[in-house]
Amino acid sequence: MSGVAPCDLAWLVTPAQALEAAGHGTKFVDVRELPEFELGAAAGSISLPLAQVVATAESQDWPRDAALIAICATGKRSLAAVEALRSRGFERATSVAGGFAAWRAAGLPESAVDLDSDARDRYARQLILPDVGIAGQRRLEAARVLLVGAGGLGSPIAVYLAAAGVGTLRIVDPDRVDRSNLHRQILHREEDMGLAKVASAARALRALNPRVRIEPIDALFDAGNALELAGDADVLVDGADNFAARHHLNAASITLGKPLVYGAVHRFEGQASVFWPGRPGAPGPCYRCLFPDSPPPELAPNCATAGVLGVLPGMIGLVQATETLKLLLGLGESLCGRLLTLDARSMRFREIAIPRDPGCPACA
């Protein structure tokens, strides 16, 4: 009980005393935020965040002379709750000394939680975000993402989606690992040269997070397999380096009504967006609203002929991974209808509005 003023000692109970009192019907409230509560809580406690404690007590006419126990992570917030409650006449309000940390250290029973200990540890910093929590993590674990490309863009996208706990990653790429890939395609290593990129990617991602299901597809993404590969995905992600694959992804996005997270890099420049003409209530543009036709090959060189700064695919790929997670979690404002461009030489980002094209050859 060190650090507590002497006049506050009467406001404290031990974890064991709290457990006994809760078993006899004493109201037991956990004043942490809900995502913290969902990660583990004292058995018998209910979630009531600190900001709501007093208002709830008064609106529900809790008896002023009834016993009430508050608990938080380490005892500070619960003591603040007790002080606020006592100032309003709840004279038998007390706080658990040491909070839930002391409760767990004492080996006292905890409420059942929806994630196992591995998931709670692995995603701990993500789970405490109010916009994620256990419900959001479960959405990620149930999600399926189609990623076309396991190269410069696909590498950071796949790494961060796997690390975040996206349940299934289907990765499509027909290429083999080459030494020239290694300066930017961070999924692959020297010992992977000659392997199918999807095999190398699968090995690296499973080592990173064995909870994620990796579906490597060693094939060209084309008109013949696009709908089959995209059919059960929640989000389609463009990590390709050619216009043919992008047009097939765009067609699948339109047919299936799925969002397409786009990215591209060239030398020192990159761009990203979300194309989603099937967005409920607010249809967005498709890829061909921005790029109606593929340019001739001599006007659209790839990395092998034009070159690219090694870190640039990582920067754009992280934007794409972020947009994908936002779409899966249903939070924030996506890049749908906006093109984000980056000039790495000046480190300047620009945003360009992309309207739907009423004459678009694909989605009009």
Side-chain angles (χ1 to χ4, degrees):
M1 297 184 185
S2 60
V4 179
C7 61
D8 296 336
L9 293 177
W11 298 2
L12 299 176
V13 295
T14 66
Q17 289 170 331
L19 176 63
E20 181 180 3
H24 289 91
T26 298
K27 193 173 294 295
F28 189 17
V29 297
D30 189 317
V31 301
R32 297 174 297 167
E33 296 300 311
L34 182 58
E36 296 176 88
F37 179 84
E38 290 176 330
L39 288 175
S45 64
I46 62 170
S47 177
L48 189 59
L50 177 59
Q52 303 172 23
V53 169
V54 173
T56 300
E58 293 182 336
S59 66
Q60 295 188 10
D61 293 326
W62 290 356
R64 292 299 202 271
D65 61 350
L68 185 151
I69 299 173
I71 188 172
C72 65
T74 61
K76 293 181 180 179
R77 280 176 285 179
S78 56
L79 201 55
V82 166
E83 183 176 9
L85 287 165
R86 284 182 171 249
S87 71
R88 287 163 174 78
F90 296 91
E91 297 181 356
R92 296 181 63 197
T94 53
S95 169
V96 176
F100 184 60
W103 182 283
R104 177 168 279 176
L108 298 179
E110 300 180 25
S111 299
V113 294
D114 293 328
L115 294 176
D116 58 42
S117 59
D118 175 84
R120 292 202 307 271
D121 292 342
R122 186 180 298 272
Y123 308 124
R125 301 301 182 270
Q126 185 165 282
L127 287 165
I128 62 175
L129 294 173
D131 290 330
V132 181
I134 284 182
Q137 194 63 48
R138 291 171 69 187
R139 288 183 67 172
L140 292 179
E141 289 189 339
R144 303 179 68 90
V145 170
L146 169 67
L147 171 59
V148 176
L153 292 170
S155 288
I157 295 167
V159 165
Y160 276 96
L161 294 184
V166 170
T168 301
L169 281 176
R170 179 175 296 149
I171 306 175
V172 185
D173 196 311
D175 292 340
R176 299 298 184 263
V177 179
D178 181 83
R179 184 172 280 113
S180 66
N181 302 147
L182 302 182
H183 94 297
R184 68 193 183 282
Q185 300 183 15
I186 59 172
L187 276 175
H188 313 302
R189 300 290 182 266
E190 181 84 14
E191 59 267 27
D192 298 326
M193 287 194 300
L195 284 180
K197 284 186 179 178
V198 292
S200 172
R203 184 170 63 185
L205 296 170
R206 287 166 181 154
L208 172 66
N209 189 352
R211 301 177 67 92
V212 175
R213 180 182 180 187
I214 308 298
E215 297 181 352
I217 309 295
D218 184 8
L220 182 70
F221 186 79
D222 58 23
N225 60 20
L227 291 180
E228 178 184 357
L229 292 174
D232 60 353
D234 300 294
V235 177
L236 316 182
V237 185
D238 174 12
D241 62 357
N242 64 85
F243 285 93
R246 288 176 179 142
H247 282 295
H248 295 315
L249 273 167
N250 188 63
S253 167
I254 294 169
T255 300
L256 300 170
K258 307 288 180 69
L260 169 59
V261 180
Y262 159 76
V265 293
H266 176 73
R267 294 183 174 172
F268 295 91
E269 299 176 350
Q271 55 188 224
S273 188
V274 172
F275 299 111
W276 195 3
R279 183 171 61 172
C286 81
Y287 175 76
R288 295 186 69 184
C289 289
L290 181 62
F291 302 110
D293 299 299
S294 299
E298 64 272 15
L299 296 180
N302 59 24
C303 293
T305 55
V308 64
L309 185 68
V311 296
L312 186 63
M315 298 172 75
I316 297 299
L318 290 180
V319 173
Q320 292 180 265
T322 302
E323 290 298 298
T324 302
L325 291 173
K326 286 162 54 183
L327 289 167
L328 295 174
L329 291 167
L331 60 86
E333 178 184 0
S334 81
L335 280 174
C336 186
R338 298 179 290 148
L339 181 70
L340 184 69
T341 68
L342 165 65
D343 182 342
R345 287 167 296 191
S346 61
M347 198 52 72
R348 286 191 173 93
F349 288 87
R350 294 178 58 209
E351 185 180 297
I352 303 168
I354 311 172
R356 292 199 71 187
D357 180 3
C360 175
C363 71

